[in-house]
């Protein structure tokens, strides 16, 4: 297969699609481009409830945007109450499967009651609009319940992925100024307990502002409960009403903060607000996933990442969909767990990552082939470029050459999918996100902002604000301005390199900043370096992403040591563990290389570019890199460094 093979949408799919045919897409795109305010107002009016209407749709004080200015609404209201009035009360909202095999089917009516009850719990303990809550939970239904309960009251939440360590959790609690932590005793992953409450206890040793810890019982393991601070979720819910009116909040009210890695050691809190976020995530849900009333939709991401926020919780629930949540690992009890889920629940739409696909390919076709996957009608991919071999397998072995694949490009900052094929309209080319969605104006430019030509590599920028975009970095508007709007004059800088072909299709080449992409999770080289130099034996560290057959990139560390006799083998193992403890298990380095010195510029800056070249040119395996011209990325990164 070559880069240029094209797959046209099948006539049967086009015939039933929400956006049917290329003309329909072009028309939608044209309207959004020419009259964006009318376009988005129409989307906003069509399916959402607003307690008060906006005075105008859009306000732009660069780089600060407001959408649906002056309007009042509530995301939880739109995800729940609205569906009780429109005939979805008995429809399953959340179809959940725990790793041990337990199952829960929660209707919109039931979810509404659960959310109201928990909102009342928060209210009874004095939490109100403007407060901040940290949510650190396993993938159980109470995680979205906690998010929606916060949204219902106007409490800004920050979900911290359960794979983050106590250290990382602490940093987020502090930066956000959270006063309540919602957690669980633990969760199940590969039949082992992930001990969440223990990490909370460790983190809270240094967070005096947290008044309450609310603990959902999941694993039933023995955990200490601190008097006055820790409460069982079920105790607090006793006798509490299952009615709780949704607080009308401003369209620009902070819905959530999600921390992601930047180019420094400090993670940045990406702020998303209410109205624009709700409107665009729901609209893209309908466009990209071609969502229909009877779909059983499953996004396999963790809710702790933005994919889970937008496309497990808020997008699907606002659209009135049935969203499937699976708690555990894809290989537990065996490598066909996912395919068994697809078969048993008759999943129609599956959204996952190239890393997961590659990991499953490795186990062989016999696992999916044991199951009836005929319910599937659409497949999605997100998080990193998908290499042609993985695309082809996904298409053939999972989709049986029937299901279109939507490769969706977006970021924590964009809130919604930005570049992706509309499956009933746009022919796909494996490895390309294809064309921008309505309202999205991307461009590939050089550092001065000048568009580069067809098929030329450059920086991917977005030329116009969009409803679901990041509003600021929590507590650091200057960093927001300089990171995203100060790089290339007047436009949003994505941090990705890309090229655009003669058909206008976008090909993402990778990050141009010091951000790695490991299993579709963003990780900063600097964050890992800071963790390493906190170890007493380490003098200096430089970290780069190295191509990896399964995870796309893997963490590779170059380390110089302080004086003394060191056992490199033992220390290597120890440092890998150390990083996992400091950041989280998903950040555990693949490789530690001890070296006498690190390459530096005359001004003392570590030349990561050289290290990147060393690890990429020497160890490239498989076909992962066929899309990612790493020398291009490296060159572009160098160009940026020299700015
Ligand atoms: C970075 C954003 C939002 C999804 C989860 C990751 C890379 C994301 C694709 C894709 C090529 C992709 C980019 C982007 N990326 N999707 N379909 N094709 N690259 O969110 O952690 O904010 O990372 O992931 O490099 O900038 P994130």
């Amino acid at each position: 297969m070559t880069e240029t093979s094209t797959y046209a949408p099948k006539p049967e799919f086009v015939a039933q699609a929400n956006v049917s045919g290329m003309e329909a897409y072009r028309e939608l795109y044209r309207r959004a481009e020419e009259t964006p305010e009318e376009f988005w107002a129409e989307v906003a009016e069509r399916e959402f409830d607003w307690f008060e209407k906006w005075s105008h749709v859009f306000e732009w004080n660069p780089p600060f945007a407001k959408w649906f200015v002056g309007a009042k609404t509530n995301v939880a209201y739109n995800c729940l109450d609205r569906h009780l009035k429109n005939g979805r009360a008995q429809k399953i909202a959340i179809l959940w499967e725990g790793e041990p095999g337990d199952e829960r089917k929660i209707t919109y009516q039931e979810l509404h009651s659960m959310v109201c009850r928990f909102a009342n719990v928060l209210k009874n303990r004095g939490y109100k609009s403007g407060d901040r809550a940290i949510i650190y939970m396993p993938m159980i239904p109470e995680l979205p319940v906690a998010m929606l309960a916060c949204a219902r009251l106007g409490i800004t939440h920050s979900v911290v992925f359960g794979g983050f360590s106590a250290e990382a959790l602490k940093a987020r609690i502090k930066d956000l100024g959270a006063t309540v932590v919602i957690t669980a005793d633990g969760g199940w992953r590969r039949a082992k307990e992930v001990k969440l409450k223990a990490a909370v206890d460790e983190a809270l040793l240094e967070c005096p502002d947290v008044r309450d810890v609310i603990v959902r019982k999941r694993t039933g393991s023995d955990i200490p409960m601190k008097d006055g601070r820790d409460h069982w979720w079920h105790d607090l819910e006793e006798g509490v009403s299952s009615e709780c009116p949704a607080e009308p909040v401003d369209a620009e009210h902070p819905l959530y903060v999600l921390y992601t890695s930047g180019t420094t050691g400090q993670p940045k809190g990406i702020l998303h607000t209410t109205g624009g976020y709700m409107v665009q995530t729901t609209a893209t849900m309908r466009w990209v996933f071609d969502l229909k009333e009877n779909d059983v939709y499953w996004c396999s991401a963790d809710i702790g990442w933005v994919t889970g926020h937008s496309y497990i919780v808020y997008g699907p629930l606002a659209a009135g969909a049935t969203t499937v949540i699976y708690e555990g690992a894809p290989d537990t009890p065996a490598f066909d767990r996912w395919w068994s889920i697809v078969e048993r629940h008759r999943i129609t739409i599956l959204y996952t990552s190239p890393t997961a696909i590659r990991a499953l390919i490795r186990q062989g076709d016999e696992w999916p082939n044991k199951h009836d996957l005929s319910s599937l009608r659409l497949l999605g991919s997100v998080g990193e470029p998908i290499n042609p071999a993985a695309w082809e397998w996904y298409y053939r072995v999972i989709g049986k050459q029937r299901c279109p694949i939507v490769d969706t490009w977006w970021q924590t900052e964009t809130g919604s999918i930005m570049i992706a094929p509309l499956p009933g309209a746009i022919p796909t080319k494996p490895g390309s996100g294809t064309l921008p969605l309505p309202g999205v104006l991307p461009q590939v430019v050089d550092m001065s902002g000048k568009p580069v030509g067809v098929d030329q590599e450059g920086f991917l920028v977005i030329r116009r604000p969009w409803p679901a975009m990041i509003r600021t970095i929590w507590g650091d508007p200057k960093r927001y301005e300089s990171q995203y709007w100060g790089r290339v004059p007047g436009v949003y800088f994505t941090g990705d390199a890309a090229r655009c072909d003669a058909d206008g299709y976008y090909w993402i080449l990778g990050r141009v900043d010091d951000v790695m992409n490991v299993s579709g999770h963003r990780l900063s080289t600097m964050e890992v370096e800071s963790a390493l130099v906190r170890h007493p034996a380490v003098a200096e560290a430089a970290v780069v992403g190295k191509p990896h057959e399964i995870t796309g990139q893997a963490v590779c560390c170059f380390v110089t040591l302080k004086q003394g006799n060191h056992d490199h083998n033992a220390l290597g193992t120890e440092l890998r563990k150390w990083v996992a403890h400091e950041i989280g298990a998903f950040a555990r380095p693949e490789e530690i290389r001890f070296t006498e010195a690190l390459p530096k510029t005359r001004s003392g800056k570590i030349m990561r570019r050289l290290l990147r070249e060393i690890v990429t040119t020497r160890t490239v395996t498989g076909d992962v890199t066929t899309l990612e011209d790493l020398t291009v990325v490296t060159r572009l990164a160098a160009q940026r460094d020299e700015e």
Side-chain angles (χ1 to χ4, degrees), residues 307 382-385 407-412 496 511 517 522:
T307 307
V382 61
E384 45 185 317
D407 177 0
T408 62
W409 178 88
W410 57 298
Q411 310 178 297
T412 304
D496 278 346
R511 303 283 309 191
N517 189 326
R522 200 198 294 192

Side-chain angles (χ1 to χ4, degrees), residues 174 212 258 357 393 478 516 569:
K174 287 189 147 181
D212 292 294
L258 188 58
I357 296 167
W393 185 87
K478 286 222 165 61
M516 297 172 284
N569 256 337

Side-chain angles (χ1 to χ4, degrees), residues 300-301 338 351-358 380-384 386 394 519-520:
S300 73
W338 278 20
Y351 189 30
T352 189
S353 69
T355 287
I357 296 167
R358 288 190 293 262
S381 171
V382 61
E384 45 185 317
I386 181 165
Y394 200 26
S519 307

Side-chain angles (χ1 to χ4, degrees), residues 256-276:
Y256 70 80
V257 172
L258 188 58
Y259 286 86
T260 188
S261 295
T263 48
T264 71
Q266 273 306 316
K268 44 191 183 181
I270 307 301
L271 175 66
H272 284 294
T273 59
T274 298

Side-chain angles (χ1 to χ4, degrees), residues 208-244:
D209 294 340
V210 173
R211 300 200 304 270
D212 292 294
V213 177
I214 304 178
V215 188
R216 176 73 194 184
K217 192 179 266 232
R218 166 61 182 145
T219 57
S221 69
D222 204 15
I223 54 163
M225 295 289 278
K226 189 172 165 185
D227 242 9
R229 187 196 71 183
D230 301 351
H231 322 272
W232 287 108
W233 177 304
H234 56 261
D235 286 343
L236 296 183
E237 272 195 350
E238 217 151 296
V240 167
S241 160
S242 51
E243 283 301 328
C244 174

